Amino acid sequence: MHPNPAYRGGDRALQETLIDQIGMGMVFMQTPDGPRVAHTPLLSTGDGAVQFHLARGNALSRYLAGENALIVVNGPDAYVSARWYEDRNTVPTWNFVALELEGPIRKMAAEGTLAMLETLSQRHEGRVEGGTPWTMDELTDDRKRRLMSGIAGFEMEVRAWRDTVKLSQDDSASDRTRVAKGLEANGSVAVAELMRTLVPDQ
């Protein structure tokens, strides 16, 4: 995480929103085979834990249970051109939002893994426009059994929440306005919107 304390908000509501809205994260761990990372959908339980699932053949699946791991959630990011500042005697930078989660991992029982998958699909299906939402009830018992046998569910007890919200907080209000407009004009609408909503005096 960025060392500047101005970028370390610690806002738990924002951290939970990042997990919910981004929905995807990277799980990192040192294994006997070397450092490994897995990409997976995430589900916050709302009480300090985060759940996820991996294919049983994933390089991390056999090592995670009982160990500490790191989960990273990457939010919107964008290059910030020095040309957008009133005084061009500066350097380019990068605005971004990210979250690190650290804690011990336990393996979930099959029932808990299925419940997690049902919650995940229901939540994300609700965000898809058009058509009828898909549900796991549409799977045959045989198909569901085969799919479940190929994955493993895990839960992290999050003991450290570390966010970085780097959105030009250390610049003047006029420069932040210029940067946000420049980002928006170049297609980085999400970062520009976060600058306007998360940074005071924008």
Side-chain angles (χ1 to χ4, degrees):
M1 297 280 93
H2 199 289
N4 189 335
Y7 306 144
R8 304 287 292 275
D11 184 332
R12 182 63 176 273
L14 174 61
Q15 294 166 345
E16 293 280 3
T17 298
L18 283 172
I19 297 170
D20 178 62
Q21 294 297 313
I22 302 301
M24 189 82 174
M26 295 171 286
V27 182
F28 296 85
M29 199 183 82
Q30 179 67 37
T31 77
D33 301 323
R36 295 291 184 267
V37 59
H39 303 258
T40 179
L42 302 173
L43 179 67
S44 174
T45 63
D47 60 0
V50 172
Q51 298 176 341
F52 59 94
H53 67 284
L54 301 176
R56 289 190 184 276
N58 187 283
L60 281 181
S61 291
R62 59 180 169 164
Y63 297 120
L64 278 168
E67 300 295 333
N68 283 306
L70 175 71
I71 295 176
V72 176
V73 179
N74 283 321
D77 68 275
Y79 172 79
V80 176
S81 172
R83 73 181 71 183
W84 296 331
Y85 292 90
E86 186 173 358
D87 179 4
R88 290 172 64 122
N89 182 29
T90 186
V91 294
T93 187
W94 211 280
N95 278 356
F96 66 98
V97 178
L99 174 65
E100 288 184 2
L101 310 169
E102 186 178 342
I105 304 287
R106 72 171 183 88
K107 190 171 183 180
M108 297 171 63
E111 296 79 8
T113 301
L114 180 59
M116 171 187 60
L117 295 175
E118 290 173 335
T119 301
L120 271 174
S121 61
Q122 182 181 37
R123 179 169 300 174
H124 292 287
E125 281 289 323
R127 297 170 177 166
V128 178
E129 295 184 10
T132 303
W134 176 88
T135 71
M136 293 192 73
D137 292 336
E138 298 179 56
L139 296 174
T140 64
D141 289 342
D142 181 63
R143 175 72 168 155
K144 184 183 295 185
R145 186 165 46 251
R146 284 188 287 120
L147 288 172
M148 292 298 295
S149 68
I151 66 171
F154 298 94
E155 181 176 271
M156 171 185 280
E157 177 193 342
V158 184
R159 295 184 179 174
W161 301 72
R162 297 187 292 266
D163 62 84
T164 295
V165 180
K166 184 181 178 296
L167 297 171
S168 301
Q169 295 97 313
D170 48 351
D171 294 323
S172 67
S174 60
D175 273 341
R176 289 200 304 272
T177 297
R178 291 164 63 94
V179 168
K181 287 180 178 178
L183 289 169
E184 199 165 46
N186 281 268
S188 297
V189 178
V191 179
E193 182 60 23
L194 287 176
M195 288 181 66
R196 294 187 176 106
T197 56
L198 295 182
V199 180
D201 302 321
Q202 178 62 38

